[in-house]
Amino acid sequence: MRIAPHAVVAAVLLASAAALAQPTLENLQQENEALRQQNAQMLDQMQQLQQRMESFETSLAETREAAARQQDIRAVLEELLAEQPPAKQWVSTLASETKLDIYGFIRADAVYDSRRTASGYFALFVLPDAAALGGDRRDEFSLTARNTRLGFALTLPEHDGIKVSGKLETDFG
């Protein structure tokens, strides 16, 4: 039986390829360790993702609860607003029924002094004539609003059982 040379070459190549393809124990241990590390990393990533997802679900639940509370508050406020009279009606009533009284008196005193007095607005005694003593003669004129009183009395219409009124009064003295 004669074997063809190319068959021998093919058999040698197949044997060497099989020898190279078979992993050694050391190669298998290294590959196993690499797979274990990759598996541990993937487990860590999966746990982190699960924690993030739980945090997101908690946040979403809190947001839904807050939205529900806001809806309840809104409903209560809308009921309260529905019970109130229209604002324009109260403003027009306020304008038409507001009462403002202005009261008081004005007193003006004017004084012309041809001679200077000791105190100004009333004379205790008259000072010596400066012109007769060789000095300047200083006539004086003074005008004052002392003893004047001004006042304002404001009364607003009653609203929801509340009565509001006030006075502002000043004396000039």
Side-chain angles (χ1 to χ4, degrees):
M1 171 164 139
R2 185 166 183 297
I3 300 178
H6 62 285
V8 172
V9 171
V12 170
L13 285 175
L14 280 175
S16 3
L20 288 175
Q22 283 187 347
T24 62
L25 181 59
E26 186 178 322
N27 287 346
L28 288 174
Q29 287 175 342
Q30 288 175 352
E31 185 179 342
N32 189 20
E33 185 58 33
L35 288 173
R36 283 179 194 265
Q37 288 177 357
Q38 183 180 11
N39 190 20
Q41 288 175 350
M42 291 175 82
L43 282 173
D44 286 344
Q45 288 177 350
M46 191 169 72
Q47 287 175 347
Q48 289 174 359
L49 287 173
Q50 191 172 14
Q51 289 173 351
R52 287 176 61 191
M53 193 165 120
E54 289 171 359
S55 172
F56 176 73
E57 287 174 350
T58 302
S59 175
L60 183 62
E62 290 171 354
T63 302
R64 285 181 180 158
E65 289 174 10
R69 282 193 304 269
Q70 286 178 351
Q71 286 295 89
D72 293 342
I73 291 170
R74 182 181 191 134
V76 169
L77 288 175
E78 286 176 354
E79 287 177 18
L80 288 173
L81 285 174
E83 294 172 4
Q84 295 296 318
K88 290 181 181 177
Q89 178 184 358
W90 188 79
V91 169
S92 64
T93 302
L94 177 70
S96 65
E97 295 181 15
T98 298
K99 183 178 174 186
L100 176 66
D101 292 323
I102 300 172
Y103 63 91
F105 54 88
I106 297 174
R107 176 178 164 182
D109 293 321
V111 177
Y112 176 78
D113 291 327
S114 60
R115 305 253 192 242
R116 293 190 47 191
T117 59
S119 66
Y121 293 116
F122 60 94
L124 290 176
F125 57 90
V126 177
L127 296 173
D129 188 7
L133 298 174
D136 287 347
R137 180 175 181 168
R138 293 190 183 179
D139 295 347
E140 286 186 351
F141 176 76
S142 60
L143 178 67
T144 182
R146 290 172 113 188
N147 303 323
T148 295
R149 173 175 291 169
L150 276 178
F152 303 93
L154 179 68
T155 306
L156 298 177
E158 184 176 331
H159 179 69
D160 289 338
I162 299 172
K163 296 178 182 178
V164 177
S165 65
K167 282 188 176 187
L168 176 65
E169 185 175 278
T170 185
D171 291 330
F172 298 88

